[in-house]
Amino acid sequence: MKSILENISKHISLTLEEEQLFLSKIEVHHFKAKTILHNAGEICKHSYFVNSGLLRSFNINDNIVEHVLHFACEGWWIGDMYSLLSQKPGNLFIEVLEDSEVVLLSKENQEQLYFEIPKLERFFRILTENSLVAHQERLMDNLSLSAEDRFEKFCKKYPTLIQKVPQKQIASYIGVTPEFFSKMKSRMLKK
């Protein structure tokens, strides 16, 4: 539980009693690779914090093509934010990519914690703001950067994922086909 408390302490300070209350509201689970934690079309009931391992969120379009939205490494949060906040069916799948230890915080417990520890509302507001900034930056990158530049940014943001994640998922994240990605990487290696 040290990891999640360290994550929180980057933005707010909790007393020992508040830490204990927070820890009483979460669940820790171990999941095997390829486990789906959340299915598109379902209402998202949890935020997920990665203690160890690797998760991704993605959707599948009508042509059965996957579009990777996020990767979540150790120390990162992930969820279907649209569904979690609106409590409407979402459009994301959340998948475990390698055996992982994941903290689950239910929407209900999160709301209760806002009431019992008001500064946690500030913590999750900061996370939401940071997520919004990252989404806007990624959207602008997708509109204005070349695929090579997007891949270089991916490598800087997720340096440990290059060897862990299948190339087709990296291609999906940067918005290109696996075939284009393979040719692009070959060109980049020749430079």
Side-chain angles (χ1 to χ4, degrees):
M1 295 300 88
K2 183 179 173 188
S3 181
I4 195 165
L5 293 175
E6 286 174 355
N7 182 265
I8 292 169
S9 72
K10 290 177 184 175
H11 302 290
I12 62 169
S13 296
L14 296 177
T15 66
L16 194 55
E17 295 79 24
E18 290 169 336
E19 286 181 355
Q20 293 305 314
L21 178 58
F22 176 80
L23 293 175
S24 74
K25 301 291 185 187
I26 61 174
E27 300 173 35
V28 179
H29 293 276
H30 293 86
F31 296 103
K32 295 284 185 194
K34 300 187 189 298
T35 301
I36 300 292
L37 300 182
H38 176 71
N39 284 294
E42 295 177 350
I43 295 174
C44 189
K45 296 182 179 359
H46 297 92
S47 295
Y48 304 95
F49 178 81
V50 183
N51 269 341
S52 64
L54 178 62
L55 279 63
R56 74 172 174 142
S57 65
F58 65 99
N59 87 344
I60 301 173
N61 70 15
D62 293 339
N63 296 324
I64 313 176
V65 175
E66 287 185 8
H67 297 283
V68 176
L69 270 68
H70 300 103
F71 292 103
C73 313
E74 182 176 328
W76 290 40
W77 291 84
I78 194 168
D80 184 333
M81 295 307 294
Y82 165 78
S83 179
L84 185 69
L85 295 175
S86 70
Q87 287 298 281
K88 295 179 181 175
N91 57 12
L92 295 180
F93 293 88
I94 298 174
E95 178 186 25
V96 177
L97 293 179
E98 63 183 32
D99 292 355
S100 300
E101 182 180 87
V102 181
V103 175
L104 281 66
L105 175 60
S106 72
K107 169 81 169 160
E108 180 182 328
N109 282 346
Q110 187 172 341
E111 293 293 333
Q112 189 176 1
L113 284 167
Y114 289 165
F115 178 75
E116 295 179 33
I117 310 172
K119 57 189 152 183
L120 279 172
E121 196 162 16
R122 179 175 187 271
F123 171 73
F124 283 102
R125 178 186 52 80
I126 291 168
L127 287 185
T128 302
E129 288 172 352
N130 290 343
S131 177
L132 180 61
V133 168
H135 281 284
Q136 182 175 325
E137 181 181 18
R138 182 155 175 232
L139 177 61
M140 293 307 297
D141 288 349
N142 285 343
L143 294 172
S144 61
L145 297 179
S146 69
E148 286 182 6
D149 290 340
R150 292 193 308 271
F151 178 59
E152 286 175 6
K153 279 191 93 166
F154 174 87
C155 292
K156 287 178 185 165
K157 184 174 182 177
Y158 299 110
T160 61
L161 295 189
I162 305 304
Q163 302 304 318
K164 290 183 174 186
V165 175
Q167 286 194 17
K168 71 178 186 175
Q169 291 179 11
I170 296 171
S172 173
Y173 181 86
I174 66 169
V176 298
T177 65
E179 297 78 18
F180 180 89
F181 182 75
S182 181
K183 291 174 186 172
M184 179 189 73
K185 265 186 72 181
S186 291
R187 281 193 314 270
M188 291 174 78
L189 291 172
K190 289 177 185 175
K191 289 182 181 180

